[in-house]
Structures are given as C-alpha cells and as structure tokens.
Amino acid sequence: MASSSPLLVWRGEGFGHGRSRKLGHLWVETALSAGAWVLALDRKGVPVSPSFSALAKKYKSRLILERGDVTSRRDLEKARDRALRKSSLAVIVNNAGIDQPPAVLKKNFTFSEIPIEDVRRMFEVNFLGAFQVLQVFGEGVARSGQGSVINIGSLYSAVSPDQRFYDHLTGQTPFMKPPAYGASKAALANLTKFLATLWGPKGVRVNTLSPGGVEGGQDGAFKSKFTARVPLSRMATLADLRGPFLFLASDASRYVTGINLMVDGGFTTW
C-alpha cells in the first residue's frame, strides 16, 4: 500500500464499545504506517481519543477526521464530497458496529425479553450503516476500475456464540450473547458475496475480515473457556490482525474476492 492508495476507514468509535474502538484505531494506524492517507469518520460529539490525537500529530495531513453517522445518508454524502476533493478512494473499510459484552449491559434478558428496539438498532448500525456506506462510496470505487472493500465481520458471522462461555457470570438472569450481533454480521458477510459478484467485473474486490476473540481485558474464567476451544490455545492480539488486513487492502490479494477471512486461531475448524 502506497501513498497513492488512499484508504477510507469507518472507525466506529462512537458506535461500539471496547472492541470496535480498538479495531478502528488498529486499521487507521496500520494503513498510515503502510503509507496510505486515511479519512476516518466518527460521530459528532465523541471526544477524540489520546491515541488518535497522537496519530494525527505524527502523520499530520495524511490523517483526516470527519464527523458523521453511518446511519445518516446525508452525513455520508457530505463526507464523501469532502474526501473526493483530496483524492479518489481506493479502499473502503466498514468497521462501525455495536456489540454488547457483559460489562456494558445494565440488564440481562432472556431470548423472549430482548427489546426489538435493541435488535433494530444493532442491524441499523452493523448492517444498514455498512450498506449505506457502500451505496454512497462504493460506486465511485467501482467506476475507478480497481479497489478493495473490507467489511469487518466477526467470528459470530459464521458460528453461533457458545453461551457456556458466560455461564459463570452471576445475576438473576444469566448473560446471553445477543443473537442480533451475529445475525447482523452474517448479513454483512452475505452482502460481501453479493457485491463481490456485482463489482468483480469492474475490478473491485469485496471481502469480509472476521476476527476471532480479541484479547481485551476479559475475565479469567471466560478466557480459560474460550481458549480451550481454540486450536492455537489463545485469544487474538491486535498484532495478529495487521497482516490479514494489509493482505486484503493491498495488491497481495488482487485475485481474492467474496471470502470471509476468519482470523480466529482455528476456532471455526471444529
């Protein structure tokens, strides 16, 4: 990836919790270190993190922050128009997403109690937000005759969460990994295949990058149960995701499209 290959990254820092924020920063940092310029989008009113400020200071004009909401087509169109004044776009990364780890939930629900508003909001950001990004920016990439789209998926785009990972958590109602999260990521993986066939003849590659469980301060019991299920016997680190990301963003994957690249330590092999 060179400076002539600009990268558009949806950081998702305002939408997600711990994971989306860390991954968004990772994609930005990795792209910048590879020589790209980056347009990052985050919601209005979300404070700029110290780590992002450090990147902005280091890379100066190669990192631009725009404010907007992926669920607002008007915001996306404004960001697109401003970005195109600088350069054409070569890579689109859909990272914005909502997850619901145990620590952020005020109340646990049984399946029958899950508020439909929670399900709707998760799909609105995780799937419809990505859908709109690709509507607004993707056609321009397709018209250029080359480029790469990377949709950030999840381990749970391919398999169901094992609820036994969480059965040690106390509470009147046991924690249950929300079904809408995996369903929204599975929908995104299917959209990847649709667009890979639609834009393939135009020279655009469209792939999903699905991290497995990423180390992020989870409790010891969870990590013990999770890693026992992973053939490589550990959770992923952020460093494990850099190579697969650069592979999909660069010409190294110029004959790869329509796949869901599972970076999961072998979790989905059994």
Side-chain angles (χ1 to χ4, degrees):
M1 185 183 298
S3 57
S4 60
S5 300
L7 177 66
L8 174 64
V9 177
W10 304 109
R11 298 173 65 222
E13 211 171 83
F15 295 108
H17 301 290
R19 180 178 178 276
S20 290
R21 294 175 183 174
K22 290 180 180 178
L23 294 186
H25 179 83
L26 174 69
W27 313 139
V28 170
E29 182 184 27
T30 301
L32 288 167
S33 64
W37 75 267
V38 175
L39 171 69
L41 182 73
D42 209 347
R43 288 193 305 171
K44 299 173 184 176
V46 175
V48 175
S49 65
S51 57
F52 188 87
S53 296
L55 288 177
K57 183 177 180 179
K58 179 178 180 179
Y59 292 101
K60 299 181 173 61
S61 61
R62 286 206 284 122
L63 177 57
I64 301 170
L65 175 62
E66 291 284 355
R67 294 293 185 174
D69 193 318
V70 295
T71 65
S72 167
R73 187 171 182 117
R74 183 179 180 183
D75 284 1
L76 295 176
E77 289 173 343
K78 286 182 177 179
R80 175 199 61 195
D81 294 343
R82 286 190 291 262
L84 292 179
R85 294 172 191 164
K86 179 175 177 64
S87 176
S88 60
L89 297 171
V91 183
I92 298 174
V93 180
N94 270 313
N95 180 73
I98 295 176
D99 192 5
Q100 291 181 334
V104 305
L105 291 179
K106 296 179 180 179
K107 177 184 177 182
N108 295 333
F109 298 100
T110 65
F111 179 79
S112 63
E113 294 172 334
I114 297 173
I116 197 64
E117 293 79 13
D118 290 358
V119 176
R120 185 176 291 113
R121 179 59 177 164
M122 195 166 284
F123 266 88
E124 184 180 20
V125 174
N126 295 6
F127 178 71
L128 295 179
F131 189 95
Q132 279 200 134
V133 167
L134 296 171
Q135 283 186 314
V136 172
F137 288 91
E139 285 295 334
V141 174
R143 283 195 299 270
S144 73
Q146 61 182 349
S148 174
V149 173
I150 305 172
N151 293 319
I152 304 303
S154 166
L155 173 68
Y156 296 139
S157 67
V159 297
S160 175
D162 188 338
Q163 303 298 342
R164 292 172 295 183
F165 291 162
Y166 309 99
D167 60 12
H168 63 283
L169 298 175
T170 59
Q172 185 174 356
T173 303
F175 172 80
M176 179 176 65
K177 187 71 174 179
Y181 178 75
S184 64
K185 291 298 186 179
L188 186 59
N190 190 271
L191 179 63
T192 292
K193 295 181 179 181
F194 179 92
L195 291 175
T197 61
L198 183 67
W199 290 342
K202 299 180 180 181
V204 177
R205 297 171 288 109
V206 186
N207 294 290
T208 302
L209 173 60
S210 288
V214 180
E215 172 70 44
Q218 296 91 342
D219 67 87
F222 170 85
K223 287 192 286 188
S224 178
K225 287 187 281 188
F226 187 91
T227 55
R229 178 69 171 70
V230 180
L232 290 182
S233 301
R234 65 177 178 85
M235 300 189 74
T237 66
L238 294 179
D240 293 324
L241 304 178
R242 294 182 185 275
F245 174 76
L246 285 173
F247 170 70
L248 292 179
S250 71
D251 286 344
S253 60
R254 64 183 182 178
Y255 200 59
V256 176
T257 195
I259 69 165
N260 187 355
L261 179 57
M262 306 299 297
V263 188
D264 64 357
F267 188 106
T268 52
T269 58
W270 56 14

